[in-house]
Amino acid sequence: MAASRYRRFLRLCEEWPMEDTKRQRDLGAVLRQRVAQAFREGENTAISDPEACDQMYESLVRIHTNFYKNKYPRLKETTFTGVTVEDCRMILATDILKQMEDMKKGTWKRLREKFSARKPEEDSK
C-alpha cells in the first residue's frame, strides 16, 4: 500500500504548478520537499499512520482541484478592497515584497548597507 500512496503523492507533485514569482514561498515547492522527506525510502517507506496519510492526500487534492472554489462560487472576483486576483499575485511576488522592504528602510540604513557590504573581490583590486 505504501507504494501506491507514494505514486499518488508523486503524481500530485507533478500536477501541482510552481510559481516562479514566489521564490522560497511556493506551496508547490514545499509540497515536493515534504513528500521527499516523508517518503525517504520511496515505495519502500513504512507509513506509521496510513489514515492520516490518506486524509492529507485528499485534502491536498481538494486544494489542487479548487474543490471549495467550485462548490461555493463567488459573486465577484474582487475583495472588499476592490483588489483582483492578478493584483494580489503581483503584490505578493518575491521581487515586489523585497522592493517594499527596501522602501521601509531609512536613508541612513540604506547608505550604511550600500557602503559596508563590499564583496571580497572588490577589496583585492
Side-chain angles (χ1 to χ4, degrees), residues 33-52:
Q33 185 181 42
R34 294 276 176 97
V35 167
Q37 287 174 354
F39 293 96
R40 285 190 182 110
E41 298 173 19
E43 293 181 353
N44 299 327
T45 303
I47 298 173
S48 59
D49 191 0
E51 293 161 1

Side-chain angles (χ1 to χ4, degrees), residues 6-19:
Y6 176 66
R7 280 186 240 120
R8 288 191 315 171
F9 272 101
L10 282 182
R11 194 174 325 114
L12 181 64
C13 287
E14 288 173 4
E15 293 174 2
W16 203 287
M18 293 280 288
E19 289 193 47

Side-chain angles (χ1 to χ4, degrees), residues 97-113:
L97 290 175
K98 180 151 178 47
Q99 287 176 2
M100 290 174 67
E101 281 296 317
D102 290 342
M103 288 172 50
K104 287 182 184 178
K105 293 179 184 176
T107 306
W108 180 249
K109 190 171 184 177
R110 276 190 299 226
L111 286 172
R112 188 174 58 201
E113 286 177 356

Side-chain angles (χ1 to χ4, degrees), residues 69-114:
K69 180 182 177 187
N70 297 331
K71 186 175 180 179
Y72 305 106
R74 297 178 62 160
L75 300 176
K76 297 181 181 180
E77 290 299 316
T78 61
T79 62
F80 73 97
T81 60
V83 178
T84 64
V85 174
E86 287 304 316
D87 292 339
C88 287
R89 281 193 181 123
M90 184 185 75
I91 291 168
L92 293 175
T94 302
D95 297 335
I96 300 296
L97 290 175
K98 180 151 178 47
Q99 287 176 2
M100 290 174 67
E101 281 296 317
D102 290 342
M103 288 172 50
K104 287 182 184 178
K105 293 179 184 176
T107 306
W108 180 249
K109 190 171 184 177
R110 276 190 299 226
L111 286 172
R112 188 174 58 201
E113 286 177 356
K114 182 177 180 180

